[in-house]
Amino acid sequence: MLYKNLEGNKKRKMKIICIGRNYEDHAKEMGNVTPKHPIFFLKPDSALLPKRNPFFLPNFSEEIHYEVELVFKIIKVGKAIESQYANKYYKQVGLGIDFTARDLQKKCKEKGHPWEIAKAFDQSAVVGEKFLNVENIQNINFSLQKNGEMVQKSNSKNMLFNIDEIISYVSKFMTLKIGDLIFTGTPAGVGAVNIGDELTGFIEDQKMFNIKIK
Ligand code: ZN
């Protein structure tokens, strides 16, 4: 019975896969070495910030950082996908923010604990509503403005592991399902947000999201 109740929710379950240290400039600013394979962690579906909602600073952290990231949506179920076929599993690219409780993450790292309290909390995953078709997935300019000032800017060609390599690596360990999202890591320039701030993300010249911090 309990099982039936749990499964009764018709909304499709999805997971959010996030890649860490995927841009050399960001790995350096955090004092991390660049990895030899993709590093990933998960956010649950409850981490998604509902559309058009502001982001409310949680009371358990004194240091919430923005991380702007290109986001890919999985369109086909797959497991153990070879990177040469990975492009069949996504079609479009979007933009999001991987909100991070940096103070909690530092403590977790020091102790060698998992990162969930710093990364998987409610509203920590912002995904713009629009997803775009792009000609060349290896050459996408994206940026983030805080209060109208550019704070992060990069291009998908700067990823240490491209989306096809990420899909191949992650799908060795877990099945990718339709609707899953992959956050592909953030470039340098991460920083704290405060009440009243406004974050606006762009792919090329297209505005992808606008979030108010409350
Ligand atoms: Zn991130």
Side-chain angles (χ1 to χ4, degrees):
M1 279 308 259
L2 179 64
Y3 211 74
K4 199 177 169 193
N5 283 342
L6 285 171
E7 298 296 316
N9 182 355
K10 284 224 178 67
K11 256 194 161 176
R12 191 192 283 128
K13 293 182 181 66
M14 52 80 76
K15 57 188 174 291
I16 303 167
I17 296 149
C18 301
I19 308 300
R21 304 175 195 173
N22 202 24
Y23 290 81
E24 199 169 8
D25 57 358
H26 173 63
K28 278 192 182 144
E29 78 177 344
M30 299 302 295
N32 293 318
V33 291
T34 52
K36 298 211 163 51
H37 54 76
I39 292 176
F40 71 91
F41 54 92
L42 301 182
K43 291 181 191 264
D45 57 1
S46 50
L48 278 173
L49 180 71
K51 287 181 174 68
R52 284 175 227 105
N53 274 29
F55 174 83
F56 289 91
L57 285 174
N59 58 11
F60 50 74
S61 169
E62 301 295 318
E63 193 187 13
I64 297 288
H65 275 198
Y66 54 79
E67 296 189 352
V68 73
E69 314 199 358
L70 291 171
V71 178
F72 291 85
K73 195 184 278 178
I74 296 298
I75 56 168
K76 200 172 136 174
V77 177
K79 190 180 165 66
I81 301 159
E82 285 178 52
S83 61
Q84 72 213 78
Y85 304 118
N87 61 6
K88 306 270 185 282
Y89 291 80
Y90 61 87
K91 210 154 70 189
Q92 295 179 306
V93 65
L95 195 69
I97 295 182
D98 164 22
F99 275 120
T100 303
R102 196 68 76 198
D103 47 354
L104 299 185
Q105 189 194 29
K106 272 179 206 150
K107 285 184 195 156
C108 293
K109 274 176 160 177
E110 282 164 16
K111 293 180 183 159
H113 288 173
W115 285 357
E116 272 75 3
I117 59 168
K119 286 285 197 181
F121 55 89
D122 285 357
Q123 310 190 350
S124 62
V126 174
V127 185
E129 284 179 61
K130 269 185 284 184
F131 276 74
L132 309 175
N133 292 311
V134 283
E135 265 174 49
N136 183 1
I137 224 82
Q138 311 298 352
N139 185 17
I140 308 165
N141 288 300
F142 64 102
S143 62
L144 182 74
Q145 293 185 3
K146 184 173 123 178
N147 305 327
E149 205 173 291
M150 182 97 71
V151 285
Q152 289 190 277
K153 183 181 179 350
S154 195
N155 183 293
S156 59
K157 68 173 180 232
N158 299 323
M159 289 182 189
L160 296 172
F161 301 99
N162 66 34
I163 183 62
D164 295 345
E165 293 165 325
I166 290 168
I167 285 175
S168 169
Y169 184 78
V170 173
S171 69
K172 279 187 206 177
F173 302 95
M174 54 183 70
T175 301
L176 297 179
K177 293 173 134 185
I178 295 167
D180 286 353
L181 295 173
I182 302 183
F183 277 60
T184 52
T186 197
V190 299
V193 286
N194 291 296
I195 291 173
D197 284 344
E198 201 168 326
L199 298 173
T200 315
F202 296 87
I203 289 182
E204 305 293 344
D205 295 331
Q206 286 223 51
K207 192 196 275 193
M208 302 299 287
F209 60 76
N210 183 66
I211 302 291
K212 290 195 172 66
I213 311 298
K214 296 212 167 171

